[in-house]
Amino acid sequence: MAFKTHRQSYVNCTYETARAAGWDTVQLKYCGEYKLFDEGGTGTCVLLGDAFTGPRWAGTDLENRLLVWDCLVSDGKDLRGIDYRNRFSFARLHCQRLGAFFKIVTPYPIQAAPELWKQRPVGTVGLVYRNSKAAYGEPLCVARRYDETPGDIP
């Protein structure tokens, strides 16, 4: 039976409001197609990420990759109730095991947000803030780029 879950909700925020709310981690937000990867369709390893397929990504580092940011099931054990830090450790291990198609989306301390905002890697649309101690299902905070004003961090 295939594993099913709901997507986490996003709230729009700024760096300051994310810090005030207690979020302590930041990651680049990518614009690929949201994917729930269920290895073999059995629920033994379930990863969340952004898929980058098709001609738009040809010739980029993202071509035919799944950028993974979370692991919901490892070796058949549901991880949604444990904190993000531990789920991310499982995600990293599975990405290494599964091979080149999988790439991990690195989490940084929230203090790195201003510098990350200045970067514009291909395929990114902003930043995602999260609480590293939160279980799956807690809302995430997102700062999206809607314009090309360099250097501004919302």
Side-chain angles (χ1 to χ4, degrees):
M1 172 191 281
F3 182 85
K4 298 199 184 290
T5 191
H6 68 282
R7 282 181 80 160
Q8 286 179 277
S9 60
Y10 286 98
V11 294
N12 292 321
C13 71
T14 66
Y15 173 62
E16 289 79 17
T17 57
R19 288 188 69 174
W23 282 295
D24 59 357
T25 302
V26 64
Q27 292 169 298
L28 289 167
K29 170 127 181 71
Y30 286 86
C31 65
E33 180 185 350
Y34 175 84
K35 288 287 184 190
L36 184 142
F37 172 80
D38 184 351
E39 185 177 19
T42 61
T44 57
C45 169
V46 177
L47 303 173
L48 291 180
D50 279 310
F52 291 86
T53 57
R56 176 180 179 191
W57 305 107
T60 71
D61 288 343
L62 301 176
E63 182 178 15
N64 296 320
R65 303 290 291 275
L66 181 68
L67 273 65
V68 173
W69 67 81
D70 209 340
C71 180
L72 303 183
V73 176
S74 179
D75 298 324
K77 181 179 179 196
D78 190 339
L79 304 178
R80 291 177 290 183
I82 68 171
D83 64 79
Y84 179 70
R85 266 185 299 218
N86 285 307
R87 294 193 323 270
F88 181 80
S89 295
F90 285 103
R92 182 181 321 195
L93 289 171
H94 286 294
C95 284
Q96 291 170 349
R97 179 182 62 81
L98 291 166
F101 175 72
F102 298 85
K103 181 179 177 184
I104 202 75
V105 178
T106 304
Y108 298 94
I110 197 168
Q111 295 82 359
E115 188 58 37
L116 287 172
W117 187 258
K118 292 176 190 175
Q119 300 173 14
R120 294 185 182 257
V122 172
T124 62
V125 292
L127 301 175
V128 173
Y129 299 100
R130 61 170 74 238
N131 178 348
S132 67
K133 298 169 207 76
Y136 183 79
E138 296 295 318
L140 302 176
C141 181
V142 64
R144 287 189 173 88
R145 294 186 187 282
Y146 292 107
D147 65 340
E148 290 298 318
T149 307
D152 292 343
I153 182 165

